Coordinates of all heavy atoms in Angstrom, one line a residue:
M257 N 2.9 205.9 254.5 CA 2.4 207.2 254.9 C 1.2 207.6 254.1 O 1.2 207.5 252.9 CB 3.6 208.2 254.6 CG 3.2 209.6 254.9 SD 4.7 210.7 254.7 CE 3.9 212.2 254.8
E258 N 0.2 208.1 254.7 CA -1.0 208.5 254.1 C -0.9 209.9 253.5 O -0.4 210.8 254.2 CB -2.2 208.4 255.0 CG -3.5 208.7 254.4 CD -4.7 208.6 255.4 OE1 -4.6 207.7 256.2 OE2 -5.6 209.4 255.3
N259 N -1.3 210.1 252.3 CA -1.3 211.4 251.7 C -2.6 212.2 251.8 O -3.6 211.6 251.6 CB -0.9 211.3 250.2 CG 0.6 211.0 250.0 OD1 1.4 211.6 250.5 ND2 0.8 209.9 249.3
D260 N -2.5 213.4 252.2 CA -3.7 214.2 252.3 C -4.0 214.7 250.9 O -3.1 215.1 250.1 CB -3.5 215.4 253.2 CG -3.5 215.0 254.7 OD1 -4.2 214.0 255.0 OD2 -2.7 215.6 255.4
S261 N -5.3 214.8 250.6 CA -5.7 215.3 249.3 C -6.6 216.5 249.5 O -7.5 216.5 250.4 CB -6.5 214.2 248.5 OG -7.0 214.7 247.3
F262 N -6.3 217.6 248.8 CA -7.1 218.9 249.0 C -7.6 219.4 247.7 O -6.9 219.3 246.7 CB -6.2 220.0 249.6 CG -5.5 219.6 250.9 CD1 -4.2 219.2 250.9 CD2 -6.2 219.8 252.1 CE1 -3.6 218.8 252.1 CE2 -5.6 219.4 253.3 CZ -4.3 219.0 253.3
K263 N -8.9 219.8 247.7 CA -9.4 220.5 246.5 C -8.6 221.7 246.3 O -8.2 222.4 247.2 CB -10.9 220.8 246.7 CG -11.8 219.7 246.8 CD -13.2 220.1 247.0 CE -14.2 218.9 247.1 NZ -15.6 219.3 247.3
T264 N -8.4 222.0 245.0 CA -7.5 223.1 244.7 C -8.0 223.9 243.5 O -8.6 223.4 242.6 CB -6.0 222.6 244.5 OG1 -5.2 223.7 244.4 CG2 -5.9 221.8 243.3
Q265 N -7.6 225.1 243.5 CA -7.8 226.0 242.3 C -6.5 226.0 241.5 O -5.5 226.2 242.1 CB -8.1 227.4 242.8 CG -8.3 228.4 241.7 CD -8.5 229.8 242.2 OE1 -8.3 230.1 243.4 NE2 -8.9 230.7 241.4
V266 N -6.7 225.8 240.2 CA -5.5 225.7 239.3 C -5.7 226.6 238.1 O -6.7 226.6 237.5 CB -5.2 224.2 238.9 CG1 -4.1 224.2 237.8 CG2 -5.0 223.3 240.0
S267 N -4.6 227.3 237.8 CA -4.6 228.1 236.6 C -3.7 227.3 235.6 O -2.6 226.9 236.0 CB -4.0 229.5 236.8 OG -3.9 230.1 235.6
A268 N -4.3 227.0 234.5 CA -3.5 226.1 233.5 C -3.7 226.7 232.1 O -4.7 227.4 231.8 CB -4.0 224.7 233.5
V269 N -2.8 226.4 231.2 CA -2.9 226.8 229.8 C -3.0 225.5 229.0 O -2.4 224.4 229.3 CB -1.5 227.5 229.4 CG1 -1.5 227.7 227.9 CG2 -1.3 228.7 230.2
F270 N -3.9 225.5 228.1 CA -4.1 224.4 227.2 C -3.5 224.8 225.8 O -3.8 225.8 225.3 CB -5.6 224.1 227.0 CG -6.3 223.6 228.2 CD1 -6.6 224.4 229.3 CD2 -6.5 222.2 228.3 CE1 -7.2 223.9 230.4 CE2 -7.1 221.7 229.5 CZ -7.5 222.6 230.5
D271 N -2.6 223.9 225.3 CA -2.0 224.2 224.0 C -2.9 223.8 222.9 O -4.0 223.4 223.1 CB -0.6 223.5 223.9 CG -0.6 222.0 223.9 OD1 -1.7 221.4 223.5 OD2 0.4 221.4 224.3
M272 N -2.4 224.0 221.7 CA -3.2 223.8 220.5 C -3.6 222.3 220.3 O -4.5 222.0 219.5 CB -2.5 224.3 219.2 CG -2.4 225.8 219.3 SD -1.4 226.5 218.0 CE -2.4 226.1 216.5
N273 N -2.9 221.4 221.0 CA -3.2 220.0 220.9 C -4.1 219.5 222.1 O -4.4 218.3 222.2 CB -1.9 219.2 220.9 CG -1.1 219.4 219.7 OD1 -1.7 219.5 218.6 ND2 0.2 219.6 219.8
G274 N -4.5 220.5 222.9 CA -5.4 220.1 224.1 C -4.6 219.7 225.3 O -5.3 219.2 226.3
Q275 N -3.3 219.7 225.3 CA -2.5 219.3 226.4 C -2.6 220.4 227.5 O -2.6 221.5 227.3 CB -1.1 219.1 226.0 CG -0.9 218.0 225.0 CD -1.5 216.7 225.3 OE1 -1.2 216.2 226.4 NE2 -2.3 216.2 224.4
I276 N -2.7 219.9 228.8 CA -2.8 220.8 229.9 C -1.4 221.1 230.5 O -0.6 220.3 230.6 CB -3.6 220.1 231.1 CG1 -4.9 219.6 230.6 CG2 -3.8 221.0 232.3 CD1 -5.7 218.7 231.5
H277 N -1.2 222.4 230.8 CA 0.1 222.9 231.3 C -0.3 223.7 232.6 O -0.5 225.0 232.4 CB 0.8 223.7 230.3 CG 1.1 223.0 229.1 ND1 2.2 222.1 228.9 CD2 0.5 223.0 227.9 CE1 2.2 221.6 227.7 NE2 1.1 222.1 227.0
P278 N -0.3 223.1 233.8 CA -0.5 223.9 235.0 C 0.5 225.0 235.2 O 1.7 224.8 235.0 CB -0.4 222.9 236.1 CG -0.5 221.5 235.5 CD 0.0 221.7 234.1
R279 N 0.0 226.2 235.7 CA 0.9 227.3 235.9 C 1.0 227.7 237.4 O 2.1 227.9 237.9 CB 0.4 228.5 235.2 CG 0.5 228.4 233.7 CD 1.9 228.3 233.2 NE 2.0 228.2 231.8 CZ 2.7 227.3 231.1 NH1 3.3 226.3 231.8 NH2 2.7 227.3 229.8
W280 N -0.1 227.7 238.2 CA -0.1 227.9 239.6 C -1.3 227.3 240.2 O -2.2 226.9 239.5 CB 0.0 229.4 239.9 CG -1.2 230.2 239.4 CD1 -1.2 231.0 238.3 CD2 -2.4 230.4 240.1 NE1 -2.5 231.6 238.2 CE2 -3.2 231.3 239.3 CE3 -3.0 229.9 241.3 CZ2 -4.5 231.7 239.6 CZ3 -4.3 230.3 241.6 CH2 -5.0 231.2 240.8
C281 N -1.2 227.1 241.6 CA -2.4 226.5 242.3 C -2.6 227.2 243.6 O -1.7 227.8 244.2 CB -2.2 225.0 242.4 SG -0.9 224.5 243.5
R282 N -3.8 227.0 244.2 CA -4.1 227.6 245.5 C -5.1 226.6 246.2 O -6.0 226.1 245.6 CB -4.8 228.9 245.3 CG -5.2 229.6 246.5 CD -6.0 230.9 246.3 NE -5.1 231.8 245.5 CZ -5.6 232.6 244.5 NH1 -6.8 232.6 244.2 NH2 -4.7 233.4 243.8
F283 N -4.8 226.3 247.5 CA -5.6 225.4 248.2 C -5.6 225.7 249.7 O -4.7 226.5 250.1 CB -5.2 224.0 248.0 CG -3.7 223.7 248.4 CD1 -3.4 223.2 249.7 CD2 -2.7 224.0 247.5 CE1 -2.1 223.0 250.0 CE2 -1.4 223.8 247.9 CZ -1.1 223.3 249.2
K284 N -6.5 225.2 250.5 CA -6.5 225.3 251.9 C -5.9 224.1 252.5 O -6.3 222.9 252.2 CB -7.9 225.5 252.5 CG -8.4 226.9 252.2 CD -9.7 227.1 252.9 CE -10.3 228.5 252.7 NZ -11.6 228.6 253.3
N285 N -4.9 224.2 253.4 CA -4.3 223.1 254.1 C -5.1 222.6 255.3 O -6.2 223.1 255.5 CB -2.8 223.4 254.5 CG -2.7 224.4 255.6 OD1 -3.7 224.8 256.2 ND2 -1.5 225.0 255.7
V286 N -4.6 221.6 256.0 CA -5.4 221.1 257.1 C -5.7 222.1 258.2 O -6.6 221.9 259.0 CB -4.7 219.8 257.8 CG1 -4.7 218.7 256.8 CG2 -3.3 220.2 258.2
L287 N -4.9 223.1 258.3 CA -5.1 224.2 259.3 C -6.0 225.3 258.8 O -6.3 226.3 259.5 CB -3.8 224.8 259.7 CG -2.7 223.9 260.3 CD1 -1.4 224.6 260.5 CD2 -3.3 223.3 261.6
G288 N -6.5 225.2 257.5 CA -7.4 226.1 257.0 C -6.7 227.3 256.3 O -7.3 228.3 255.9
E289 N -5.3 227.3 256.3 CA -4.5 228.3 255.7 C -4.6 228.2 254.2 O -4.5 227.1 253.6 CB -3.1 228.3 256.2 CG -2.9 228.3 257.7 CD -1.5 227.9 258.1 OE1 -0.9 227.0 257.5 OE2 -1.0 228.5 259.0
V290 N -4.7 229.4 253.5 CA -4.7 229.4 252.1 C -3.2 229.4 251.6 O -2.4 230.2 252.0 CB -5.4 230.6 251.5 CG1 -5.2 230.6 250.0 CG2 -6.9 230.6 251.9
I291 N -2.8 228.3 250.8 CA -1.5 228.2 250.3 C -1.6 228.5 248.8 O -2.3 227.9 248.1 CB -1.0 226.8 250.6 CG1 -1.0 226.4 252.0 CG2 0.4 226.6 250.0 CD1 -0.2 227.2 252.9
T292 N -0.7 229.4 248.3 CA -0.6 229.7 246.9 C 0.8 229.3 246.4 O 1.8 229.7 247.0 CB -0.9 231.2 246.6 OG1 -2.2 231.5 247.1 CG2 -0.8 231.5 245.1
V293 N 0.8 228.5 245.4 CA 2.1 228.1 244.8 C 2.1 228.8 243.4 O 1.4 228.4 242.5 CB 2.2 226.6 244.6 CG1 3.5 226.2 243.9 CG2 2.1 225.9 245.9
E294 N 2.8 229.9 243.4 CA 2.8 230.7 242.1 C 3.8 230.3 241.1 O 3.7 230.6 239.9 CB 3.1 232.2 242.5 CG 2.1 232.8 243.4 CD 2.3 234.2 243.8 OE1 3.4 234.8 243.3 OE2 1.5 234.8 244.5
S295 N 4.9 229.6 241.5 CA 5.9 229.1 240.6 C 6.1 227.6 240.8 O 6.7 227.2 241.7 CB 7.2 229.9 240.9 OG 8.2 229.4 240.0
L296 N 5.5 226.9 239.8 CA 5.7 225.4 239.9 C 6.3 224.9 238.6 O 6.2 225.5 237.6 CB 4.3 224.7 240.2 CG 3.2 224.9 239.2 CD1 3.3 223.8 238.1 CD2 1.9 224.7 239.9
T297 N 7.0 223.8 238.8 CA 7.6 223.1 237.6 C 7.0 221.7 237.5 O 6.9 221.0 238.5 CB 9.1 223.0 237.9 OG1 9.7 224.3 238.0 CG2 9.8 222.3 236.7
V298 N 6.5 221.4 236.4 CA 6.0 220.0 236.1 C 7.2 219.1 235.9 O 7.9 219.3 234.9 CB 5.0 220.0 235.0 CG1 4.5 218.5 234.7 CG2 3.7 220.8 235.3
E299 N 7.4 218.1 236.7 CA 8.5 217.2 236.6 C 8.2 216.0 235.8 O 9.0 215.5 235.0 CB 8.9 216.7 238.0 CG 9.3 217.8 239.0 CD 10.7 218.3 238.9 OE1 11.5 217.6 238.2 OE2 11.1 219.3 239.4
R300 N 6.9 215.6 235.9 CA 6.5 214.4 235.2 C 4.9 214.4 235.1 O 4.3 215.0 236.0 CB 7.0 213.1 235.9 CG 6.7 211.8 235.2 CD 7.3 210.6 236.0 NE 8.7 210.8 236.2 CZ 9.3 210.1 237.1 NH1 8.7 209.3 237.9 NH2 10.6 210.3 237.3
E301 N 4.4 213.7 234.1 CA 2.9 213.6 234.1 C 2.5 212.2 233.6 O 3.3 211.5 232.9 CB 2.3 214.7 233.2 CG 2.8 214.7 231.8 CD 2.3 216.0 231.1 OE1 1.2 215.9 230.5 OE2 3.0 217.0 231.1
N302 N 1.3 211.8 233.9 CA 0.9 210.5 233.5 C 0.5 210.5 232.0 O 0.5 211.6 231.4 CB -0.2 209.9 234.3 CG -1.6 210.6 234.1 OD1 -1.6 211.8 233.7 ND2 -2.7 210.0 234.5
S303 N 0.1 209.4 231.5 CA -0.2 209.3 230.0 C -1.5 210.1 229.7 O -2.4 210.1 230.4 CB -0.5 207.8 229.7 OG -1.0 207.7 228.4
V304 N -1.4 210.8 228.5 CA -2.5 211.5 228.0 C -3.7 210.6 227.6 O -4.8 211.0 227.4 CB -2.2 212.4 226.8 CG1 -1.2 213.5 227.2 CG2 -1.7 211.6 225.7
D305 N -3.4 209.3 227.6 CA -4.5 208.3 227.2 C -5.3 207.9 228.4 O -6.3 207.1 228.2 CB -3.8 207.1 226.5 CG -3.1 207.5 225.2 OD1 -3.6 208.4 224.5 OD2 -2.1 206.8 224.9
D306 N -4.9 208.3 229.6 CA -5.7 207.9 230.8 C -7.1 208.6 230.7 O -7.1 209.8 230.8 CB -5.0 208.3 232.0 CG -5.6 207.8 233.3 OD1 -6.8 207.7 233.4 OD2 -4.9 207.5 234.3
P307 N -8.2 207.8 230.6 CA -9.5 208.5 230.5 C -10.1 209.0 231.8 O -11.1 209.7 231.8 CB -10.4 207.3 230.0 CG -9.7 206.1 230.6 CD -8.2 206.4 230.6
I308 N -9.5 208.7 232.9 CA -10.0 209.1 234.2 C -9.5 210.4 234.8 O -10.2 211.2 235.3 CB -9.9 207.9 235.2 CG1 -10.6 206.7 234.7 CG2 -10.3 208.3 236.6 CD1 -10.4 205.4 235.5
H309 N -8.1 210.5 234.8 CA -7.5 211.7 235.3 C -6.2 211.9 234.7 O -5.6 211.1 234.0 CB -7.3 211.5 236.9 CG -6.2 210.6 237.3 ND1 -6.2 209.3 237.1 CD2 -5.0 210.9 237.8 CE1 -5.1 208.7 237.5 NE2 -4.3 209.7 238.0
R310 N -5.7 213.1 234.9 CA -4.3 213.5 234.6 C -3.6 213.9 235.8 O -4.1 214.6 236.7 CB -4.3 214.8 233.7 CG -5.0 214.6 232.3 CD -4.3 213.5 231.4 NE -2.8 213.7 231.4 CZ -2.1 214.5 230.7 NH1 -2.7 215.3 229.8 NH2 -0.8 214.6 230.8
A311 N -2.4 213.3 236.0 CA -1.6 213.5 237.2 C -0.3 214.2 236.8 O 0.4 213.8 235.9 CB -1.4 212.2 238.0
F312 N 0.0 215.3 237.5 CA 1.2 216.1 237.3 C 2.1 216.1 238.5 O 1.6 216.6 239.6 CB 0.9 217.5 236.9 CG 0.0 217.6 235.7 CD1 -1.4 217.6 235.8 CD2 0.6 217.8 234.4 CE1 -2.2 217.7 234.7 CE2 -0.2 217.9 233.3 CZ -1.6 217.8 233.4
L313 N 3.2 215.5 238.5 CA 4.2 215.6 239.6 C 4.8 217.0 239.4 O 5.5 217.2 238.4 CB 5.2 214.5 239.5 CG 6.3 214.7 240.6 CD1 5.8 214.5 242.0 CD2 7.5 213.7 240.4
C314 N 4.7 217.8 240.4 CA 5.2 219.2 240.4 C 6.2 219.4 241.5 O 6.2 218.7 242.5 CB 4.0 220.2 240.5 SG 2.8 220.0 239.2
S315 N 7.0 220.4 241.3 CA 7.9 220.8 242.4 C 7.9 222.4 242.5 O 7.5 223.1 241.5 CB 9.3 220.3 242.1 OG 9.8 221.0 241.0
T316 N 8.2 222.8 243.7 CA 8.4 224.3 243.9 C 9.4 224.4 245.1 O 9.6 223.4 245.8 CB 7.1 225.0 244.2 OG1 7.2 226.4 244.2 CG2 6.5 224.5 245.6
Y317 N 9.9 225.6 245.2 CA 10.8 225.8 246.4 C 10.0 226.6 247.4 O 9.4 227.7 247.2 CB 12.0 226.7 246.0 CG 13.0 225.8 245.3 CD1 13.0 225.6 243.9 CD2 14.0 225.1 246.0 CE1 14.0 224.8 243.3 CE2 14.9 224.3 245.4 CZ 14.9 224.1 244.1 OH 15.8 223.3 243.5
M318 N 9.9 226.0 248.6 CA 9.2 226.6 249.8 C 10.1 226.4 251.0 O 10.7 225.3 251.2 CB 7.9 226.0 250.0 CG 6.9 226.2 249.0 SD 5.3 225.4 249.3 CE 4.6 226.6 250.4
Y319 N 10.3 227.5 251.7 CA 11.1 227.4 253.0 C 12.5 226.9 252.7 O 13.1 226.1 253.4 CB 10.5 226.6 254.0 CG 9.0 226.9 254.2 CD1 8.0 226.1 253.9 CD2 8.7 228.2 254.7 CE1 6.7 226.4 254.1 CE2 7.3 228.5 254.9 CZ 6.3 227.6 254.6 OH 5.0 228.0 254.7
N320 N 13.1 227.4 251.5 CA 14.5 227.0 251.1 C 14.7 225.5 250.8 O 15.8 225.0 250.9 CB 15.5 227.5 252.1 CG 15.5 229.0 252.3 OD1 15.4 229.7 251.3 ND2 15.6 229.5 253.5
R321 N 13.6 224.8 250.5 CA 13.7 223.4 250.1 C 12.8 223.1 248.9 O 11.8 223.7 248.7 CB 13.2 222.5 251.3 CG 14.1 222.5 252.5 CD 13.7 221.6 253.6 NE 13.6 220.2 253.1 CZ 12.8 219.3 253.7 NH1 12.1 219.6 254.8 NH2 12.7 218.1 253.2
K322 N 13.3 222.2 248.1 CA 12.5 221.7 247.0 C 11.4 220.8 247.5 O 11.6 219.8 248.2 CB 13.3 221.0 246.0 CG 12.6 220.8 244.7 CD 13.6 220.2 243.6 CE 12.9 220.1 242.3 NZ 13.9 219.7 241.2
R323 N 10.1 221.2 247.2 CA 9.0 220.4 247.7 C 8.3 219.8 246.5 O 8.1 220.4 245.4 CB 7.9 221.3 248.4 CG 8.5 222.1 249.5 CD 8.8 221.2 250.7 NE 9.4 222.1 251.8 CZ 9.3 221.8 253.0 NH1 8.7 220.7 253.4 NH2 9.8 222.6 253.9
Y324 N 7.8 218.5 246.6 CA 7.1 217.8 245.5 C 5.6 217.7 245.9 O 5.3 217.5 247.1 CB 7.7 216.4 245.3 CG 9.1 216.5 244.7 CD1 10.2 216.3 245.5 CD2 9.3 216.6 243.3 CE1 11.5 216.4 245.0 CE2 10.5 216.6 242.8 CZ 11.6 216.5 243.6 OH 12.9 216.5 243.1
F325 N 4.8 217.8 244.9 CA 3.4 217.6 245.2 C 2.8 217.1 243.8 O 3.3 217.3 242.8 CB 2.7 218.8 245.7 CG 2.8 220.0 244.8 CD1 1.8 220.3 243.9 CD2 3.9 220.8 244.9 CE1 1.9 221.5 243.1 CE2 4.0 221.9 244.1 CZ 3.1 222.3 243.2
C326 N 1.6 216.5 243.9 CA 0.9 216.0 242.7 C -0.4 216.8 242.5 O -1.2 216.9 243.4 CB 0.6 214.5 243.0 SG 0.0 213.7 241.5
L327 N -0.5 217.4 241.3 CA -1.8 218.0 240.9 C -2.5 216.9 240.1 O -2.0 216.4 239.2 CB -1.5 219.2 240.1 CG -1.1 220.5 240.8 CD1 -0.8 221.6 239.7 CD2 -2.1 220.9 241.8
C328 N -3.8 216.7 240.5 CA -4.6 215.7 239.7 C -5.8 216.4 239.2 O -6.6 217.0 239.9 CB -5.0 214.6 240.7 SG -3.6 213.7 241.3
Y329 N -6.0 216.2 237.9 CA -7.2 216.7 237.2 C -8.1 215.6 237.0 O -7.8 214.6 236.3 CB -6.8 217.4 235.9 CG -8.1 218.0 235.2 CD1 -8.8 219.0 235.7 CD2 -8.4 217.4 233.9 CE1 -9.9 219.5 235.0 CE2 -9.5 217.9 233.3 CZ -10.3 218.9 233.8 OH -11.4 219.4 233.2
H330 N -9.3 215.6 237.6 CA -10.3 214.5 237.4 C -11.2 214.9 236.3 O -12.1 215.8 236.4 CB -11.1 214.4 238.7 CG -10.1 214.2 239.9 ND1 -9.6 213.0 240.2 CD2 -9.6 215.1 240.8 CE1 -8.8 213.2 241.3 NE2 -8.8 214.4 241.6
I331 N -11.0 214.2 235.2 CA -11.6 214.5 233.9 C -13.2 214.6 233.9 O -13.8 215.5 233.5 CB -11.1 213.6 232.8 CG1 -9.6 213.8 232.6 CG2 -11.9 213.8 231.5 CD1 -9.0 212.8 231.7
S332 N -13.8 213.5 234.5 CA -15.3 213.5 234.5 C -15.9 214.5 235.4 O -17.0 214.9 235.1 CB -15.8 212.1 234.9 OG -15.3 211.7 236.2
F333 N -15.2 215.0 236.4 CA -15.8 216.0 237.3 C -15.3 217.4 237.1 O -15.8 218.3 237.7 CB -15.5 215.6 238.8 CG -16.1 214.3 239.2 CD1 -15.2 213.2 239.4 CD2 -17.4 214.1 239.3 CE1 -15.8 212.0 239.8 CE2 -18.0 212.9 239.7 CZ -17.2 211.8 239.9
H334 N -14.3 217.5 236.2 CA -13.6 218.8 235.9 C -13.2 219.5 237.2 O -13.4 220.7 237.4 CB -14.6 219.7 235.2 CG -15.1 219.1 233.9 ND1 -14.3 218.9 232.8 CD2 -16.3 218.6 233.6 CE1 -15.1 218.3 231.8 NE2 -16.3 218.1 232.3
T335 N -12.5 218.7 238.1 CA -12.0 219.3 239.3 C -10.5 218.9 239.5 O -10.0 218.0 238.9 CB -12.8 218.7 240.6 OG1 -12.6 217.2 240.6 CG2 -14.2 219.1 240.5
W336 N -9.9 219.7 240.4 CA -8.4 219.5 240.6 C -8.3 219.2 242.1 O -9.0 219.7 243.0 CB -7.7 220.8 240.4 CG -7.5 221.1 238.9 CD1 -8.3 221.8 238.1 CD2 -6.4 220.8 238.1 NE1 -7.8 222.0 236.9 CE2 -6.6 221.3 236.8 CE3 -5.2 220.0 238.3 CZ2 -5.7 221.2 235.8 CZ3 -4.3 219.9 237.2 CH2 -4.6 220.5 236.0
T337 N -7.3 218.3 242.4 CA -6.9 218.1 243.8 C -5.3 218.2 243.9 O -4.7 218.1 242.8 CB -7.3 216.7 244.4 OG1 -6.8 215.7 243.5 CG2 -8.8 216.6 244.5
V338 N -4.8 218.5 245.0 CA -3.4 218.5 245.2 C -3.1 217.5 246.3 O -3.8 217.4 247.3 CB -2.9 219.9 245.6 CG1 -3.4 220.4 246.9 CG2 -1.3 219.9 245.6
E339 N -2.0 216.7 246.2 CA -1.6 215.8 247.2 C -0.1 215.9 247.4 O 0.7 216.1 246.4 CB -1.8 214.3 246.7 CG -3.3 214.1 246.4 CD -3.6 212.7 245.8 OE1 -2.6 212.0 245.6 OE2 -4.7 212.4 245.6
Q340 N 0.3 215.9 248.6 CA 1.8 216.1 249.0 C 2.5 214.8 248.6 O 2.1 213.7 248.7 CB 1.9 216.3 250.5 CG 3.4 216.4 250.9 CD 3.5 216.7 252.3 OE1 2.6 217.0 253.0 NE2 4.7 216.5 252.8
R341 N 3.7 215.0 248.1 CA 4.6 213.9 247.7 C 6.0 214.2 248.3 O 6.4 215.4 248.3 CB 4.8 213.7 246.2 CG 3.5 213.3 245.5 CD 3.2 211.8 245.9 NE 2.1 211.3 245.2 CZ 0.8 211.2 245.7 NH1 0.6 211.5 246.9 NH2 -0.1 210.7 244.9
I342 N 6.6 213.2 248.9 CA 7.9 213.5 249.5 C 9.0 213.4 248.5 O 10.0 214.1 248.5 CB 8.2 212.4 250.6 CG1 7.1 212.4 251.7 CG2 9.6 212.6 251.2 CD1 6.9 213.7 252.4
S343 N 8.8 212.6 247.5 CA 9.9 212.4 246.5 C 9.3 212.0 245.1 O 8.1 211.6 245.1 CB 10.9 211.4 246.9 OG 10.3 210.1 247.0
I344 N 10.1 211.9 244.1 CA 9.6 211.4 242.8 C 9.3 210.0 242.9 O 8.3 209.5 242.3 CB 10.7 211.7 241.7 CG1 10.8 213.2 241.5 CG2 10.4 210.9 240.5 CD1 11.9 213.5 240.5
E345 N 10.0 209.2 243.7 CA 9.7 207.8 243.9 C 8.3 207.6 244.5 O 7.7 206.6 244.1 CB 10.8 207.1 244.8 CG 12.2 207.0 244.2 CD 12.9 208.4 244.1 OE1 12.6 209.2 245.0 OE2 13.8 208.6 243.3
E346 N 7.9 208.4 245.4 CA 6.6 208.3 246.0 C 5.5 208.5 244.9 O 4.4 208.0 245.0 CB 6.4 209.2 247.1 CG 5.2 209.0 248.0 CD 5.2 209.8 249.2 OE1 6.1 209.8 250.0 OE2 4.2 210.6 249.3
Y347 N 5.8 209.4 244.0 CA 4.8 209.6 242.9 C 4.6 208.3 242.1 O 3.5 208.1 241.7 CB 5.4 210.7 241.9 CG 4.6 210.9 240.7 CD1 3.4 211.7 240.7 CD2 5.0 210.4 239.5 CE1 2.7 211.9 239.5 CE2 4.3 210.6 238.3 CZ 3.1 211.3 238.3 OH 2.4 211.6 237.2
N348 N 5.6 207.6 241.9 CA 5.5 206.3 241.1 C 4.6 205.3 241.8 O 4.0 204.5 241.3 CB 6.9 205.7 240.8 CG 7.7 206.6 239.9 OD1 7.2 207.3 239.1 ND2 9.0 206.6 240.2

C-alpha cells in the first residue's frame, strides 16, 4: 500500500536537550480539506542520531477509532510532512 505524504504545519516544544516534542499538526488532505490534529500521542520515534530526519509515530482518536500517522521532520529543509500509517508494524 502506498502512503500519501502531505506537507504539514506542526507545533512542537523543544526541551533543554534539544529534543523535539510535537504537540499538534495541521495539513490539507487529498480533497483539499484542512485537517487539524489537536491531541496527538507520540508512540515511538527514530534515533536522535539520524542526521537526515526525525520520524515520530503518532496516534490520535478520530471518528471513534485510534488512528496512526507518522510526522517526519526533515532536518536540512526544516520542513514537516505527515504520512498515514495503518499500524505500528507499518511504521517499522
Side-chain angles (χ1 to χ4, degrees):
M257 177 177 171
E258 184 177 326
N259 287 305
D260 291 324
S261 178
F262 303 98
K263 291 181 182 179
T264 188
Q265 176 184 14
V266 174
S267 176
V269 175
F270 291 76
D271 66 23
M272 293 174 66
N273 296 318
Q275 301 304 309
I276 306 169
H277 303 279
R279 295 293 184 232
W280 61 263
C281 66
R282 180 181 303 138
F283 60 94
K284 286 186 180 179
N285 66 13
V286 293
L287 301 175
E289 302 167 323
V290 176
I291 306 296
T292 301
V293 178
E294 295 179 2
S295 177
L296 62 85
T297 301
V298 175
E299 303 275 345
R300 188 179 300 161
E301 58 189 273
N302 72 336
S303 170
V304 295
D305 297 327
D306 188 326
I308 298 172
H309 77 288
R310 294 298 315 276
F312 300 88
L313 175 65
C314 300
S315 67
T316 192
Y317 282 91
M318 294 178 82
Y319 311 112
N320 297 320
R321 291 183 57 202
K322 189 172 189 177
R323 308 286 180 152
Y324 292 97
F325 58 96
C326 187
L327 284 176
C328 298
Y329 179 65
H330 307 277
I331 295 170
S332 61
F333 298 111
H334 305 288
T335 59
W336 289 88
T337 57
V338 63
E339 299 174 359
Q340 180 180 343
R341 295 291 186 253
I342 304 302
S343 65
I344 291 176
E345 291 76 26
E346 192 174 303
Y347 172 78
N348 295 329

